[in-house]
Structures are given as C-alpha cells and as structure tokens.
Amino acid sequence: MKLRFAPSPTGYLHVGNARQAVANYLFARRHGGRFILRLDDTDTSRSRPEYVDGIHRDLAWLGLNWDEEVRQSERRDIYDAVIEKLKASGRLYPCFESEHELNAKREMRIRAGKPPLYDRAMLKLTADQRARAEANGKVPYWRFKLTDGSKKWNDLVMDECSVKLTAISDPVLIRADGTILYTLASVIDDLEMGITHIMRGEDHITNTGVQIDIAEAITGKPAPFTFAHLPLLLDTDGGKLSKRFDSLGLKSLRADGIEPMSIVSYIARVGTSDDPDVITMQEAIDSYDISHVSKSAARFDMRQLLALNRKALHNLPFEKAKAHLPAEATEEFWNAVRGNVDISAEIPHWWDVTQGTIISPPQPDDRDFLQTALDTLPDSPWSEDTWKEWTNILKERTDRKGKTLFMPLRLALTAEEKGPDLPTLLALMGRERVVSRLKDAIRA
Ligand SMILES: Nc1ncnc2c1ncn2[C@@H]1O[C@H](COP(=O)(O)OP(=O)(O)OP(=O)(O)O)[C@@H](O)[C@H]1O
C-alpha cells in the first residue's frame, strides 16, 4: 500500500490541506503502508522554494513524517516517455486555436443552445495543415482525447461516483511552452510510483474521471487506484479556504501557540462520526477509520480547536512544556498556569504576572477596600496558605465575601478577571510585587 500527499508549493498549507495530509498519513500508517510527499511543482510561475520549505516545516511540526519525497519538476524524462506514447497513439493531439478563437466558438455554441464544449476541430487537422501552421511559427499545445461515456468508481468516502466524460472538453495537458499540466503529471506519477490509494479533496472528483481515462490510455488496463475524496473543510463562516489568502494557515496557528497534536486530533475527527478529543499520534493512527468520514463539507470551528488545545496544554508535562516557557520557569509556575491557557501565546502574560511587571487597572470604586488589603498584607515569607490567612482578615475587616472580595484583588494582582488559582499565584508573585500592584490600583 502506498499513499501520497501532493500539495502544490504555491502557498503555505492551510487546515484544509492538512486534512488531506493527515488522512493520507493516518491511513497509510494504520495499514502498514508508505506515505510519500510529492511536490506538485509543474506550475513554475507560482511554485516557490519558500513554500516548499513551508510545507516541510508544517508537516514536520504536525509530526507527519514522510518515507520518500519526489518533485514533479525533476521528473520530466519520465513524463516525456509517456507523452511520446500518447502522441503516437493519437490520444494526445496538437491544437493551434488561440484563446480568442476558442472564446468565439464557445459563445457561438452557447447562443445555439449547445453546451460550451470544445468541438475537437483540431482532431480533423491533416498533416499538411499542421505542417503549414508550424511553418507559420505556430507552436501547438496538446489536448487529450477523452473516451465517450462515463468513468465510475467506488469511492471510500463518496461511495458510487461517476463522471460523464462526454460533458467535459478534451483537456489541455501540455501547454505551447511545453509545461505539463497537473492532470497529466499527477497520473503518470501515481502509475509510475505504484500509488495504490489516492486520497484527496472532493475538488478533484472531475479530475478523477479524466485521470482514470488517461491512466487507461497509458497502460491499456483498468486504472489500479482506490480513491477517497474527502469533503472540503470550510472556514467558521462556511467560506472557502485559500492558500493565496493564508486563511487558517498552519504557519499562523503555530505562531499563535496552538499545539500540533491538537490540530492533528481535531482534523482527524472533524467531519467524521467520531468526537474530537486530544489524542496521541498512535491513538490517532489506531482509531482512524475512513468509513467514518462524512460526505458533506465540514466547518472548521476555532472554538473547538481552542478547547482541545486548552486540554492538550493542561495535560502537557513540564518537560514538554519547557519549549513554550521562559528559561527560568519552574515546574511550580507551569503547574499553576497550565489549566488556564487556551494557547501557549498566553503564557508570557502569566509569567509577567508572577515574575515580571504588569499594569494594574485603576479601581476607584474599590480604593478603600484595596487600601485595607494593602494594610493587612501578611509579612514574608509566603506560602500557599498566605492567601487564606490574608483574605480571612479582609473578610472580618470589610464585611465583604465572594466576588466582591476576590474580584478587586484578582484584577489588581493579575489585570485579568479570570485565571489561575489566586493562592498559588500569590505565593509565586512574592510580597514586593503585590504591594506595588495594590498601590497602582489605589493610586490610579
Ligand atoms: N478546503 C479544503 N479542504 C480540504 N481539502 C482541501 C481544501 N483545499 C484544498 N484541499 C486539498 O489539499 C490537497 C493539496 O492541494 P493543493 O496544494 O492543490 O491545495 P489548494 O489549497 O487547492 O491549492 P491551490 O489554491 O494552489 O490550488 C488536495 O488534496 C486538495 O484537494
């Protein structure tokens, strides 16, 4: 069994692309197969080295290690041999019509109430006519002659699929400048590399019909692939994701401090009948079941991802959390804050709260209460019991309890209305910091 994830390096990967990478990886690992990274970089005008680096970085970050890597731009010889064969058999035929001529023909067909399909005029070109066009400096581009009828396959996600080839124009597979289009390069690679399962987005369903036809023209045998077309992942508002607009990009999620395993856990289960939960890679592999993937489009829900990430951070042991923490951070600090962060980008704030400087917001309405709090602050050294000792005195002196007692203190000490347990935080902060924050809140 051999699978491939085949992104085009024309942008940074988004969570939709990741859905395919994760599906291919988990399916391959679950069944003891190989997972290949294939860079579909035939579009030289849009492919860029920094996007290749980006794909490597994102996949490695997610923990999707690949067994082999190939680049389409390095496989021209392989394509040329197959192209010669297809030209010789007449399935690839030269075309000379300009964009302008094609548009005019298309409009005429539409006006005549016919579908705007290519009329295959160039199939009737005689050797003489071709020689004359070439003598006039015209260079042909090449279309693939589709067979009549439909191509059917039993999809692992979409069940029975059928693409009516008679409703599609013969596709251009080689441009006049010699560029090979994705549709052709991809099927040659899949055959040559012995890919057994093609898992990709449902945006490829029409391609699949055409590619089955091309594969059969190349080998003279039924296409040897099993297909799985996974629905597209939409953004939270139901909009399309785009590499070009960097929407929900893995790079930015990483920069925001999302844990890679939260993303893999979420993406492996979103749009399936299984509930997302924070799982290990091995658990994701063992539990991946393609028959649980739903046929309809799934929405990426940021709140759900954040909930998983919060759980992942909560479970993260100190040794692993160190990567997100300041060098001087202690295990006590991590234990105090780990249950209260959605993303690791929030950690520096809590570090400042306990070890650095923050600006306490003014609390004019609670000035007297905070002055009493300052006056009754226990002397050092402090422990986790100091909070209780202090607030017991405050309860007696001020008659306050519950929220009216705790909230002004929380706000003064942390500048937040929510956060880690105050008894633990107070012990970590130390007396000097607390005195200066209380003074700030009173003075302001
Ligand atoms: N929103 C999406 N949800 C799920 N899969 C997607 C989504 N967008 C693309 N894919 C899949 O990602 C894989 C990689 O494709 P590709 O690199 O061509 O991505 P793309 O985002 O469609 O790129 P481009 O915008 O450059 O065409 C393909 O299997 C494609 O079907």
Side-chain angles (χ1 to χ4, degrees), residues 6-24:
S8 50
T10 55
Y12 294 109
L13 299 180
H14 52 59
V15 289
N17 305 132
R19 177 172 214 202
Q20 309 304 336
V22 165
N24 275 283

Side-chain angles (χ1 to χ4, degrees), residues 14-283:
H14 52 59
V15 289
N17 305 132
R19 177 172 214 202
Q20 309 304 336
V22 165
N24 275 283
Y25 177 82
L26 296 179
F27 191 90
R29 293 290 179 257
R30 170 97 201 253
H31 298 98
R34 288 175 69 73
F35 173 65
I36 316 295
L37 170 61
R38 194 181 75 207
L39 295 165
D40 284 2
D41 55 356
T42 50
D43 185 347
T44 45
S45 62
R46 289 177 57 214
S47 299
R48 300 237 193 96
E50 64 263 34
Y51 296 140
V52 172
D53 294 343
I55 290 168
H56 287 159
R57 211 172 313 125
D58 289 342
L59 293 182
W61 177 63
L62 291 178
L64 310 180
N65 50 310
W66 53 101
D67 302 311
E68 198 185 316
E69 175 173 339
V70 293
R71 296 185 187 201
Q72 290 193 325
S73 55
E74 293 167 0
R75 294 167 65 80
R76 183 73 207 209
D77 291 350
I78 296 172
Y79 305 144
D80 282 344
V82 178
I83 286 168
E84 283 320 308
K85 216 170 131 186
L86 289 173
K87 284 182 179 174
S89 68
R91 293 300 293 276
L92 272 176
Y93 61 96
C95 297
F96 293 95
E97 293 115 324
S98 65
E99 196 63 38
H100 181 72
E101 285 170 83
L102 290 174
N103 282 340
K105 282 208 246 186
R106 203 175 296 131
E107 272 171 32
M108 265 166 58
R109 284 183 72 92
I110 292 172
R111 271 203 299 273
K114 293 183 189 164
L117 290 179
Y118 176 59
D119 62 5
R120 291 183 163 167
M122 288 291 131
L123 263 183
K124 298 179 198 99
L125 205 68
T126 63
D128 247 17
Q129 286 170 315
R130 178 175 170 188
R132 243 180 296 136
E134 285 178 330
N136 283 335
K138 284 198 171 179
V139 181
Y141 53 91
W142 299 77
R143 286 187 192 265
F144 178 75
K145 184 172 180 288
L146 293 167
T147 49
D148 291 339
S150 299
K151 289 294 168 198
K152 293 189 169 60
W153 69 96
N154 202 350
D155 198 277
L156 294 185
V157 176
M158 298 293 179
D159 299 332
E160 287 293 319
C161 288
S162 173
V163 171
K164 208 170 152 196
L165 297 181
T166 42
I168 305 172
S169 293
D170 286 347
V172 174
L173 296 186
I174 306 166
R175 292 204 188 97
D177 67 2
T179 316
I180 300 173
L181 277 111
Y182 160 82
T183 316
L184 177 61
S186 169
V187 73
I188 297 176
D189 283 334
D190 290 335
L191 287 170
E192 198 269 339
M193 295 167 62
I195 299 298
T196 56
H197 292 67
I198 299 180
M199 298 176 79
R200 55 188 177 184
E202 65 175 329
D203 51 327
H204 284 284
I205 285 186
T206 306
N207 262 341
T208 294
V210 172
Q211 287 180 323
I212 290 176
D213 204 29
I214 300 175
E216 290 175 354
I218 295 172
T219 63
K221 292 189 231 151
F225 313 120
T226 299
F227 290 96
H229 289 90
L230 284 86
L232 294 188
L233 206 51
L234 305 174
D235 68 19
T236 317
D237 304 321
K240 249 193 112 208
L241 298 175
S242 165
K243 273 212 210 111
R244 262 164 268 183
F245 303 123
D246 200 19
S247 40
L248 288 173
L250 295 177
K251 193 172 170 231
S252 29
L253 292 171
R254 178 167 62 242
D256 287 344
I258 303 281
E259 286 297 294
M261 242 353 260
S262 315
I263 297 193
V264 174
S265 302
Y266 180 58
I267 276 177
R269 301 260 169 101
V270 66
T272 74
S273 50
D274 302 314
D275 285 333
D277 196 5
V278 184
I279 45 178
T280 63
M281 189 60 93
Q282 195 54 51
E283 284 165 343

